[in-house]
């Protein structure tokens, strides 16, 4: 990412700090999030040492980095001991683990580079879970009925605009939940892993947002759903949808 960061610094005339957070599986979740929070807090407190106005700090990430960015923005939303973030930039982020059969997951399940199964495999490795559970996650059997009812107001194909269903979408059958599977996987409902599942009072406090989605990306609808939640709470969102884009487009463009 060094070349990408240099490009961003040059083109935006900004100071760019890249966080070398520890990686899974050697450093289990949520070490990565903790490193990003620590780095962000430190920079906010010392921004002027780097010639930066602390009221103009923006955090940014793509893919799982977008997940971390969203989680950090939520974590700092109510902090009074550091300057407020000016904005967050979320580039095709992973944001939820409730429904892996949203229209974008169905339409793009075999689109490189982020195949549907690979998305879950990476997520489960990150959480140090056995990959054999992936077929059951596809069926949604990890979501208990009470949580299904809670989350359906935030995660539902009903909130995906019709224009994004024209390439084909079929409502998925409902399978009985597994208490055992939920007990094994419940950490994935933590908003640090799934920022779209944060409570309303947290989402309502996040900063102005720039959001990038790509048409040919399983994570497209995660972005669309978070855009709706942010806008419902009056957060200003600038949305860039790349109609011909795929997961990894931004990184590829600066290589």
């Amino acid at each position: 990412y060094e070349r990408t960061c240099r490009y961003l610094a040059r083109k935006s005339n900004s100071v760019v700090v890249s966080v070398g957070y520890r990686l899974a599986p050697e450093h289990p979740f949520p070490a990565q999030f903790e490193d990003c929070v620590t780095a962000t807090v430190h920079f906010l407190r010392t921004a002027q040492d780097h010639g930066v106005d602390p009221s103009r700090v923006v955090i940014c990430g793509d893919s799982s980095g977008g997940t971390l960015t969203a989680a950090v923005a939520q974590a700092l939303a109510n902090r009074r001991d550091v300057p407020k973030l000016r904005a967050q930039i979320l580039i095709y982020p992973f944001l939820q683990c409730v429904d892996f059969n949203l229209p974008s997951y169905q339409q793009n399940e075999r689109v490189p580079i982020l195949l549907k199964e690979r998305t879950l495999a990476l997520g489960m490795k990150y959480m140090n879970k056995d990959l054999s559970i992936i077929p059951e996650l596809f069926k949604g059997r990890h979501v208990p009925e009470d949580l299904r009812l809670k989350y359906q107001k935030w995660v539902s194909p009903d909130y995906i605009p019709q224009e994004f269903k024209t390439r084909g979408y079929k409502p998925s059958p409902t399978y009985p939940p597994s208490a055992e599977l939920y007990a094994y996987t419940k950490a994935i409902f933590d908003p640090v892993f799934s920022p779209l599942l944060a409570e309303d009072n947290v989402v309502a406090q996040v900063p102005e947002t720039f959001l990038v989605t790509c048409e040919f990306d399983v994570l497209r609808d995660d972005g669309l759903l978070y855009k709706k939640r942010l806008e419902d709470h009056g957060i200003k969102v600038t949305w860039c949808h790349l109609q011909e884009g795929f997961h990894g487009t931004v990184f590829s463009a600066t290589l």
Side-chain angles (χ1 to χ4, degrees):
Y1 273 79
E2 182 178 345
R3 186 166 181 172
T4 301
C5 290
R6 287 179 178 275
Y7 177 88
L8 291 172
R10 186 171 68 250
K11 289 292 185 179
S12 64
N13 191 29
S14 302
V15 172
V16 174
V17 178
S18 179
V19 182
Y21 56 83
R22 292 168 292 172
L23 301 178
E26 292 83 4
H27 301 280
F29 168 90
Q32 300 72 24
F33 164 74
E34 291 166 352
D35 287 353
C36 289
V37 169
T38 300
T40 305
V41 168
H42 175 74
F43 187 76
L44 285 167
R45 287 174 173 165
T46 61
Q48 290 176 320
D49 296 345
H50 304 278
V52 173
D53 180 346
S55 69
R56 299 183 65 191
V57 175
V58 178
I59 56 174
C60 171
D62 76 317
S63 193
S64 58
T67 315
L68 290 166
T69 299
V72 169
Q74 291 178 2
L76 298 184
N78 287 313
R79 291 274 294 258
R80 298 289 177 261
D81 57 330
V82 289
K84 281 196 169 295
L85 292 169
R86 172 64 183 86
Q88 61 174 343
I89 299 174
L90 309 178
I91 303 171
Y92 35 76
F94 172 95
L95 296 171
Q96 61 85 29
C97 64
V98 173
D99 190 344
F100 298 111
N101 290 294
L102 292 168
S104 61
Y105 269 106
Q106 292 189 20
Q107 295 162 351
N108 303 308
E109 63 178 337
R110 295 185 180 87
V111 176
I113 56 173
L114 195 62
L115 311 182
K116 177 176 173 177
E117 190 158 344
R118 187 173 188 219
T119 305
L120 266 72
L122 291 171
M124 291 306 100
K125 285 182 178 179
Y126 177 39
M127 300 296 282
N128 198 26
K129 302 299 181 186
D130 195 310
L131 302 190
S132 65
I133 66 172
I134 288 177
E136 297 302 291
L137 297 180
F138 284 156
K139 294 177 181 176
R141 297 196 63 215
H142 60 302
V143 189
E145 190 58 31
D146 60 330
L147 287 185
R148 193 186 306 276
L149 291 171
K150 175 181 178 178
Y151 293 145
Q152 70 182 9
K153 66 181 183 287
W154 303 329
V155 183
S156 169
D158 295 343
Y159 299 137
I160 303 300
Q162 193 59 38
E163 65 201 82
F164 293 102
K165 299 177 182 175
T166 55
R167 286 198 288 126
Y169 165 69
K170 290 195 303 183
S172 301
T174 302
Y175 294 90
S178 162
E180 183 182 6
L181 186 61
Y182 169 66
Y184 181 64
T185 62
K186 63 182 179 181
I188 68 176
F189 297 104
D190 186 328
V192 170
F193 184 82
S194 296
L196 184 54
L197 306 184
E199 297 296 333
D200 286 336
N201 63 335
V202 174
V203 174
Q205 299 299 318
V206 301
E208 181 178 344
T209 301
F210 183 84
L211 176 67
V212 178
T213 56
C214 293
E215 179 61 28
F216 299 100
D217 181 7
V218 291
L219 301 183
R220 180 197 70 201
D221 293 350
D222 282 24
L224 295 179
L225 292 172
Y226 201 42
K227 173 178 178 287
K228 180 183 185 305
R229 280 205 74 192
L230 293 171
E231 290 176 337
D232 285 349
H233 286 288
I235 306 299
K236 183 181 178 182
V237 178
T238 303
W239 174 46
C240 174
H241 181 65
L242 304 177
Q243 192 59 46
E244 302 298 323
F246 54 90
H247 196 83
T249 291
V250 172
F251 179 71
S252 303
T254 56
L255 289 179

